[in-house]
């Protein structure tokens, strides 16, 4: 036994099987007891030591187990697995003296465990071969088999056809059939790069069915059952692909009539489309009754997919032409399409009802149809009145009421934890949650502000309790953070790099310092790297540098015994009440101490600036302190200036696409619409060096950098909670890439900016325009949330936002269809007037294009829907709308333009201002207060100075 344990500790796994076989039953039990203790001990080792003995420990423990259940549990232990070559041949060697029945029992038990790989499938196969029993077919085993088959295709110099691999596998018949019983398909089965090829799983399985290896009828039944059951979209597409390749006989289609109707009503679009085609064939053969057709049509016409709805209306039209007496049953189903958002669908349904209304002799049916037609918009009112006459009741006009979400309410930050136990629990939770620092999608974080408020509470708590209970705090942290990577190996370079720092990294750095893991030399060297320098430095690294500088200063504050941090926010946005900051400075004065420079600088950036009586009172109280910090606070409040004033962008005209300016519409550098900021000398003179980037003049650069994840961006907005305009200008390149190149997760900070107390001007509206045109739906949803927050707070300038959107569409930075989707989502919440105001300013420029932009019909549809619900009182006439509505043809754009025009009073279009042309300028974008109009500078950005009073606003005047 001692030799076995020595070999295991040395990691000599090849020596383990003969040593296990040399032990008798009691010897193996005794060795197993020692191995279990060693396994517990190994869990606290570093990963290199664990990897060295992992295989030997796995093989030895498997061989020493005398029961099949315990052996299966040991082999399946996650802590004994690694990514290197599998040791299962060694396990088989250590079990070669076991009876076949015992090995068969082990195979069944192990096959039922979760997450089996290709190596484990091979292991189970060998166990069953030795035991002489059939392969135990389980879902987990099928996953391992699919992984093995997928890997086998790429072994060797040439790719083997999947069908050949499956034919050569003796277990294909039972395992392939099991695929159709699993709750979810293995990922290897779902993937295929060429849908029309036979060299993928659907094609290979159908080929096996043709060969008689698989039962074709059984596969058809299982495919129909799985499509009926629903599930993941990718799985549904797989079963549909198999079914389409197998084909269905008339008898099979007839037998599953109810299944096809259910799929057409509730299946995903491809499944519903196939079911609809089967129903067409059933109707042609007379299998589908009128009642069944009416029932399924009502459900299909309720769907949003236009293709499905149009096809169903076509099917209903054929049925009515074949037998007009069915109108009484079928026309009420046709009327379901009156509620569809597409105007052409409404028109087709209305024409169908008008053509066969005489066949619906029942007055009750006519009343139902008239009631359903009442939901059609103003464009169809005349036709509906002519068709139904007095049956259509005029609804009394009700005053429109806008539905907006409640304006966000400031939430006061809870005080720092007062006990060591509470503080350590919070610090450990935040550090461990992001110890591996995996990327986090924006959809995974519901409240980005929680990340910064929790961090600030914990950071302040560490400073406070380190002063009063240093020894207890250190001991509790050491115990709570045992096993965390930086505790065993020290801080990783990326954890203290301004390019990658996050709030969890900041807490890790403070905790590591408290535990004595950071030397004074390293701390000084690392803090020196917090300052971001160079012309190519990005805003992310600069804001991260501020956070990192505060973290290292907190370490110094702990060493110096400072009582607390003055920059801890009052509110969840990161803002600090001026009066509260005055009291904190008073407490420091009474202690005869001074706050850290970075701590106080951050406090100034967070203090709520108020030019009213409260601000004056706070400034006077700060000045009365008689300290340097008090005087600086008073001056800061009285100045009431943004950290970095934002310059307006010069793109104020919507141009016409032409052969002469094609290069401006295809090159990102020429198309970009970004913002510059002026310098703020007080920050460069009085703030710590890590803050100096914030006070320098910044020209925009459309370059992509990698500072991602909402948890990492929460501190960006909390660094300047009173300056959303400045932050929006600095982070604008992220939004440009989100819209133009599809960068994901870059829009999440907009909601936090919308909640800020600062002004929402031109930069905020431009940022919102980029967000509404982002490529990914979840990013557009985040922008919609920000739009609704601004509207609820009364800070949204809809006309300004509409003009910015028109400019971005003109420069091909956002797509019209994506913008229509986002604004449609906003309108669906009840904000119809808000959205219509935006569109009324956006549409004139787009309607003036000679070639209709793609997606304009969708945008007009959203505008028409809003106008029909909220009316057009107070909305200026839209230039170009009448001309578009009067075009020949029946395109979506023309139809929706006519629908929108019908919502305006007659003659309104005659008073509309001329659409923006190449030489005309749109209304000026919102900019810094007091700034005048600006032209395009020589570099494609920046203002043109027009006089001595404008010299400080030109690009040449920026001090870089």
């Amino acid at each position: 036994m001692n030799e076995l344990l020595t070999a295991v500790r040395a990691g000599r796994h090849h020596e383990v099987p003969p040593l296990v076989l040399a032990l008798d039953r009691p010897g193996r039990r005794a060795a197993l007891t020692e191995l279990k203790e060693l396994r517990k001990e190994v869990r606290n080792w570093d990963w290199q030591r664990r990897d060295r003995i992992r295989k030997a420990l796995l093989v030895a423990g498997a061989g020493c187990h005398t029961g099949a259940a315990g052996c299966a549990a040991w082999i399946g232990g996650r802590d004994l697995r690694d990514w290197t070559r599998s040791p299962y041949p060694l396990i088989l060697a250590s079990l070669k003296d076991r009876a076949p029945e015992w090995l068969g029992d082990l195979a069944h038990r192990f096959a039922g465990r979760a997450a089996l790989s290709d190596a484990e499938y091979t292991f189970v196969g060998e166990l069953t071969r030795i035991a002489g029993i059939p392969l135990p077919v389980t879902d987990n085993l099928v996953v391992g088999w699919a992984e093995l088959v997928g890997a086998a295709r790429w072994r060797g110099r040439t790719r083997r056809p999947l069908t050949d691999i499956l034919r050569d596998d003796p277990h294909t018949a039972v395992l392939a059939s099991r695929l159709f019983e699993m709750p979810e398909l293995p990922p290897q089965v779902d993937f295929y790069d060429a849908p029309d090829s036979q060299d993928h799983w659907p094609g290979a399985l159908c080929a096996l069915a043709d060969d008689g290896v698989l039962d074709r009828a059984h596969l058809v039944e299982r495919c129909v059952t799985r499509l009926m059951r629903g599930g993941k979209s990718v799985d549904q597409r797989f079963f549909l692909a198999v079914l389409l390749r197998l084909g269905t006989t008339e008898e099979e289609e007839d037998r599953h009539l109810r299944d096809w109707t259910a799929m057409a009503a509730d299946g995903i679009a491809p499944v519903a489309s196939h079911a609809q085609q089967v129903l067409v064939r059933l109707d042609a053969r007379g299998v589908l009754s009128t009642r069944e057709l009416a029932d399924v049509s009502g459900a299909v016409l309720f769907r949003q997919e236009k293709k499905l709805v149009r096809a169903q209306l076509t099917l209903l039209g054929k049925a009515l032409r074949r037998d007009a007496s069915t109108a009484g049953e079928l026309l009420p189903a046709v009327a379901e399409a009156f509620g569809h958002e597409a105007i052409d669908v409404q028109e087709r349904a209305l024409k169908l009802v008008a053509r066969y209304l005489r066949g619906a002799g029942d007055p009750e049916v006519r009343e139902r149809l008239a009631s359903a037609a009442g939901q059609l918009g103003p464009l169809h009112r005349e036709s509906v009145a002519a068709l139904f006459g007095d049956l259509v009741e005029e609804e009394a006009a009700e005053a429109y009421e806008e539905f907006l979400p409640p304006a966000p309410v400031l939430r006061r930050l809870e005080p720092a934890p007062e006990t060591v136990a509470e503080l350590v629990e919070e610090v450990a939770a935040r550090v461990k949650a992001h110890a591996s620092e995996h990327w986090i999608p924006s959809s995974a974080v519901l409240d980005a502000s929680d990340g910064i408020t929790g961090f600030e509470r914990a950071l302040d708590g560490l400073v406070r309790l380190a002063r009063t209970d240093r020894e207890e705090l250190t001991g509790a942290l050491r115990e709570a953070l045992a096993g965390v990577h930086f505790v065993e190996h020290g801080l990783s370079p990326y954890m203290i790099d301004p390019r990658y720092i996050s709030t969890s990294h900041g807490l890790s750095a403070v905790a590591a310092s408290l535990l004595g893991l950071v030397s004074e030399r390293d701390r000084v060297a690392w803090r020196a790297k917090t300052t971001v320098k160079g012309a190519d430095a990005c805003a992310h690294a600069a804001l991260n540098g501020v956070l990192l500088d505060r973290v290292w200063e907190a370490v110094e504050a702990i060493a110096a015994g400072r009582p607390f941090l003055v920059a801890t926010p009052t509110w969840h946005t990161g803002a600090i009440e001026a009066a509260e900051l005055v009291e904190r400075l008073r407490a420091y004065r009474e202690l005869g101490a001074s706050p850290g420079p970075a701590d106080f600088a951050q406090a100034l950036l967070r203090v709520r600036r108020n030019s009213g009586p409260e601000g004056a009172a706070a400034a006077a109280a700060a000045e009365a302190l008689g300290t340097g910090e008090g005087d600086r606070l008073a001056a800061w409040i009285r100045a009431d200036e943004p950290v970095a004033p934002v310059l307006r962008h010069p793109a104020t005209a919507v141009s016409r696409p032409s052969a002469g300016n094609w290069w401006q519409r295809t090159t990102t550098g020429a198309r970009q619409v970004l913002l510059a900021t002026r310098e703020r000398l007080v920050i460069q003179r009085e703030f710590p060096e890590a803050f100096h980037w914030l006070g320098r003049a910044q020209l925009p650069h459309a370059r992509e950098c990698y500072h991602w994840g909402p948890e990492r961006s929460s501190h960006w907005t909390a660094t300047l909670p009173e300056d959303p305009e400045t932050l929006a200008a600095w982070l604008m390149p992220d939004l440009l890439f989100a819209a133009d190149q599809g960068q994901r997760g870059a829009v999440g900070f907009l909601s936090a900016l919308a909640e800020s107390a600062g002004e929402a001007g031109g930069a905020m509206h431009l940022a919102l325009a980029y967000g509404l045109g982002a490529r990914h739906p979840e990013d557009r949803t985040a922008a919609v949330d920000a739009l609704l927050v601004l509207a609820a707070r009364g800070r949204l300038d809809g006309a300004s936002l509409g003009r910015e959107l028109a400019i971005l569409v003109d420069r091909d930075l956002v797509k019209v269809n994506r913008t229509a989707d986002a604004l449609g989502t906003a309108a669906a919440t009840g904000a119809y007037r808000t959205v219509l105001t935006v569109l009324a300013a956006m549409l004139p420029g787009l309607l003036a294009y000679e070639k209709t932009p793609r997606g304009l019909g969708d945008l007009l549809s959203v505008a028409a829907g809003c106008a029909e619900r909220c009316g057009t009182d107070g909305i200026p006439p839209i230039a170009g709308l009448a001309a578009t509505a009067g075009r020949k043809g029946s395109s979506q754009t023309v139809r929706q333009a006519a629908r929108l025009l019908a919502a305006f009073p007659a003659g309104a279009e005659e008073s509309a201002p001329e659409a923006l042309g190449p030489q005309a300028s749109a209304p000026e974008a919102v900019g810094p207060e007091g700034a005048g109009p600006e032209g395009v500078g020589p570099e494609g950005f920046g203002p043109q100075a027009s006089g001595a009073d404008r010299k400080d606003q030109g690009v040449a005047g920026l001090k870089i």
Side-chain angles (χ1 to χ4, degrees):
M1 182 179 74
N2 291 333
E3 292 182 16
L4 174 63
L5 294 175
T6 300
V8 171
R9 286 186 174 275
R12 300 194 299 269
H13 48 275
H14 290 288
E15 300 178 11
V16 170
L19 294 174
V20 169
L21 294 173
L23 296 175
D24 56 10
R25 192 178 183 90
R28 293 182 185 182
R29 288 179 176 173
L32 181 61
T33 302
E34 296 294 331
L35 291 171
K36 288 180 178 179
E37 292 299 322
L38 178 59
R39 184 178 179 181
K40 294 179 183 179
E41 178 185 340
V42 166
R43 288 171 180 161
N44 295 322
W45 291 3
D46 63 79
W47 65 271
Q48 292 176 322
R49 291 180 65 194
R50 286 197 301 268
D51 281 353
R52 190 163 51 247
I53 76 165
R54 198 193 308 262
K55 286 185 179 180
L57 184 58
L58 175 62
V59 175
C64 289
H65 269 90
T66 57
C71 185
W74 183 275
I75 298 173
R78 291 184 177 272
D79 59 324
L80 297 178
R81 300 183 184 184
D82 60 16
W83 294 100
T84 58
R85 187 174 179 180
S86 169
Y88 292 124
L90 297 177
I91 296 177
L92 289 171
S94 67
L95 298 176
K96 71 178 183 179
D97 61 344
R98 304 301 171 92
E101 296 79 7
W102 192 94
L103 294 176
D105 188 18
L106 174 63
H108 278 275
R109 292 180 181 276
F110 189 68
R113 298 189 64 84
L116 298 187
S117 66
D118 57 342
E120 289 155 334
Y121 164 74
T122 304
F123 174 63
V124 174
E126 283 297 304
L127 286 175
T128 56
R129 184 188 61 80
I130 297 171
I133 62 172
L135 188 73
V137 181
T138 65
D139 291 347
N140 297 322
L141 195 70
V142 173
V143 172
W145 169 69
E147 186 176 325
L148 179 66
V149 170
R153 303 176 68 185
W154 306 101
R155 289 175 186 159
R157 295 185 177 180
T158 59
R159 172 175 168 172
R160 288 190 64 194
L162 178 60
T163 306
D164 293 346
I165 297 173
L166 293 176
R167 284 195 183 106
D168 294 342
D169 192 326
H171 304 299
T172 292
V174 292
L175 295 177
S177 298
R178 182 74 177 196
L179 287 171
F180 296 83
E181 312 290 338
M182 298 173 64
E184 291 186 5
L185 290 173
Q188 296 81 6
V189 174
D190 284 335
F191 172 77
Y192 47 92
D193 51 1
D196 296 332
S197 170
Q198 291 297 319
D199 191 27
H200 52 66
W201 281 89
L205 293 175
C206 292
L208 294 176
D210 293 339
D211 295 344
V213 177
L214 299 176
D215 184 355
R216 179 202 164 279
H218 175 72
L219 294 186
V220 170
E221 292 295 321
R222 294 309 305 163
C223 284
V224 173
T225 301
R226 290 305 302 269
L227 293 175
M228 266 291 296
R229 184 191 303 175
K232 293 170 57 177
S233 175
V234 66
D235 290 356
Q236 293 279 287
R237 293 175 187 274
F238 169 84
F239 293 116
L240 179 61
V242 175
L243 184 62
L244 289 174
R245 282 169 172 78
L246 291 173
T248 51
T249 65
E250 291 186 0
E251 188 275 331
E252 288 170 336
E253 290 180 349
D254 296 349
R255 188 170 66 251
H256 292 287
L257 170 60
R258 293 187 179 276
D259 296 332
W260 305 126
T261 58
M263 290 181 210
D266 301 320
I268 62 173
V271 174
S273 178
H274 173 69
Q276 191 177 56
Q277 294 171 22
V278 176
L279 291 175
V280 171
R281 295 195 291 270
L282 292 174
D283 179 66
R285 296 200 299 267
V287 178
L288 187 65
S289 68
T290 302
R291 181 70 267 157
E292 290 168 332
L293 176 59
D295 290 342
V296 70
S297 296
V300 173
L301 294 178
F302 189 73
R303 298 180 65 118
Q304 296 299 311
E305 298 92 341
K306 296 179 184 178
K307 183 178 179 181
L308 291 174
V309 173
R310 291 175 183 139
Q312 197 66 27
L313 287 175
T314 301
L315 177 58
L316 287 167
K318 290 180 179 179
L320 287 167
R321 281 197 301 272
R322 187 171 60 242
D323 184 1
S325 64
T326 60
E329 288 187 87
L330 296 183
L331 288 185
V334 173
E336 290 288 342
F338 291 162
H340 199 276
E341 61 181 11
I343 190 171
D344 61 322
V345 170
Q346 297 175 3
E347 288 182 356
R348 290 183 64 174
L350 186 59
K351 289 179 180 178
L352 205 57
V353 170
R355 184 176 303 165
Y356 296 101
L357 184 60
R358 291 183 180 179
D362 189 348
E364 185 178 346
V365 172
R366 295 176 66 90
E367 290 180 6
R368 287 175 57 191
L369 293 174
S371 176
Q375 62 185 306
L376 293 171
L379 184 63
H380 299 117
R381 283 175 187 163
E382 185 176 343
S383 301
V384 170
L387 183 61
F388 294 102
D390 296 338
L391 292 177
V392 180
E393 298 180 1
E394 287 289 337
E395 296 183 1
E398 296 182 1
Y400 171 74
E401 181 181 358
E402 186 88 342
F403 289 98
L404 293 171
V409 178
L410 285 175
R411 303 190 301 273
R412 183 171 287 273
L413 185 69
E414 295 181 6
E418 297 181 354
T419 65
V420 170
E422 183 184 358
L423 174 63
V424 169
E425 181 181 2
E426 184 164 339
V427 171
R430 293 188 174 276
V431 168
K432 289 181 177 180
H434 300 283
S436 58
E437 285 304 323
H438 294 303
W439 177 80
I440 311 167
S442 60
S443 59
V445 177
L446 299 179
D447 187 0
S449 65
D450 181 63
I452 190 62
T453 55
F455 163 76
E456 294 288 352
R457 290 180 66 250
L459 186 65
D460 188 36
L462 288 170
V463 173
R464 290 174 182 269
L465 293 182
R467 183 169 182 257
T468 57
D469 301 290
R470 176 70 173 269
E471 186 174 347
E472 181 184 357
L473 176 61
T474 302
L477 282 174
R478 194 180 306 278
E479 180 179 354
L481 299 178
V484 176
H485 186 270
F486 78 82
V487 176
E488 295 184 358
H489 306 285
L491 294 172
S492 300
Y494 71 90
M495 298 176 70
I496 41 86
D497 190 322
R499 292 172 295 178
Y500 312 115
I501 183 69
S502 69
T503 54
S504 60
H505 291 157
L507 292 179
S508 297
V510 177
S513 300
L514 277 169
L515 297 176
L517 303 176
V518 179
S519 66
E520 179 66 17
R521 177 181 177 182
D522 287 342
R523 183 192 61 77
V524 173
W526 286 340
R527 188 174 185 187
K529 296 180 180 179
T530 61
T531 301
V532 176
K533 300 179 181 179
D536 59 343
C538 64
H540 315 96
L543 295 168
N544 288 347
V546 169
L547 172 71
L548 193 55
D549 194 53
R550 290 184 57 222
V551 165
W552 290 124
E553 188 177 89
V555 173
E556 295 177 1
I558 290 173
R562 291 195 182 112
F564 54 84
L565 299 178
V566 298
T568 303
T570 304
W571 306 105
H572 76 282
T573 59
I576 302 176
E577 288 294 340
E580 188 169 333
L581 181 56
V582 170
E583 293 305 314
R584 293 176 186 176
L585 294 178
R586 192 188 311 279
Y588 261 95
R589 186 193 65 178
E590 293 174 356
L591 292 172
S594 298
D599 185 28
F600 181 65
Q602 177 63 90
L604 287 181
L605 297 179
R606 286 177 170 171
V607 71
R608 300 187 71 180
R609 302 188 295 269
N610 190 336
S611 57
E614 293 182 4
E623 192 173 32
L625 292 175
T627 63
E629 289 80 9
D631 293 342
R632 288 177 59 190
L633 174 59
W636 184 268
I637 296 175
R638 287 167 179 160
D640 192 18
E641 296 179 8
V643 169
V646 179
L647 296 176
R648 290 177 294 179
H649 68 77
T652 56
V654 176
S655 62
R656 298 287 189 276
S658 67
N661 67 358
W662 64 268
W663 58 274
Q664 291 182 330
R665 305 179 62 80
T666 56
T667 306
T668 300
R671 295 184 291 116
Q672 67 185 35
V673 179
L674 299 171
L675 300 172
T677 56
R678 299 179 192 167
E679 66 180 358
R680 185 82 184 278
L681 293 177
V682 66
I683 294 179
Q684 299 182 60
R685 293 170 181 168
E686 300 181 5
F687 282 50
E689 190 177 8
F691 291 72
H692 286 181
W693 187 97
L694 310 182
R696 300 191 191 110
Q698 302 296 336
L699 285 174
H701 298 284
R703 62 174 180 272
E704 193 169 7
C705 51
Y706 301 95
H707 304 83
W708 57 80
E711 193 274 339
R712 296 176 185 232
S713 67
S714 59
H715 63 274
W716 298 342
T717 53
T719 300
L720 302 175
E722 292 293 294
D723 294 276
E725 283 287 283
T726 302
L727 271 175
W730 287 345
L731 300 178
M732 199 74 70
D734 292 348
L735 300 172
L736 183 151
F737 285 115
D740 191 44
Q741 298 184 18
Q743 179 176 300
R744 191 185 295 270
V747 185
F749 67 87
L750 280 181
S751 293
L753 291 187
E755 292 188 32
S756 300
E759 173 195 6
M764 188 64 197
H765 285 76
L766 178 59
L768 190 57
Y770 273 120
L772 293 172
R775 176 179 299 180
H776 300 289
E778 62 270 23
D779 289 330
R780 295 198 295 271
T781 300
V784 169
D785 291 341
L787 182 149
L788 296 176
V789 168
L790 284 177
R793 300 183 66 197
R795 298 193 172 197
L796 180 69
D797 185 341
S800 175
L801 177 58
R803 291 191 294 268
E804 298 290 5
L805 281 167
I807 290 170
L808 297 185
V809 169
D810 178 67
R811 279 148 182 79
D812 199 24
L813 290 169
V814 302
K815 306 296 183 185
V816 177
N817 57 338
R818 296 173 187 166
T819 307
D821 173 74
L823 292 176
T825 301
T829 66
Y832 298 109
R833 170 71 64 171
T834 299
V835 173
L836 185 58
T837 303
V838 174
L839 289 171
M842 179 184 180
L843 284 171
L846 306 186
L847 292 172
Y849 281 4
E850 294 179 8
K851 183 178 180 180
T852 302
R854 183 179 181 183
L856 181 57
D858 295 333
L859 203 64
L860 287 167
S861 176
V862 174
C866 292
E868 290 170 356
R869 287 170 173 82
C870 69
T872 56
D873 293 341
I875 302 295
I878 299 174
L881 183 61
T884 303
R887 292 179 188 172
K888 296 181 180 180
S890 57
S891 67
Q892 174 80 343
T893 299
V894 173
R895 290 168 178 266
Q896 297 297 344
R899 178 186 171 197
L900 177 58
L901 185 63
F904 282 88
E909 68 275 9
E910 298 176 1
S911 61
E914 221 176 281
L916 297 176
Q919 307 301 325
S921 294
E924 296 174 7
V926 180
E929 186 177 352
E934 298 165 354
V936 180
E939 298 299 325
F941 173 84
Q944 293 277 15
S946 59
D949 58 334
R950 294 287 310 285
K951 65 182 180 180
D952 62 325
Q953 296 188 21
V955 170
L958 291 173
K959 298 180 181 179
I960 306 296

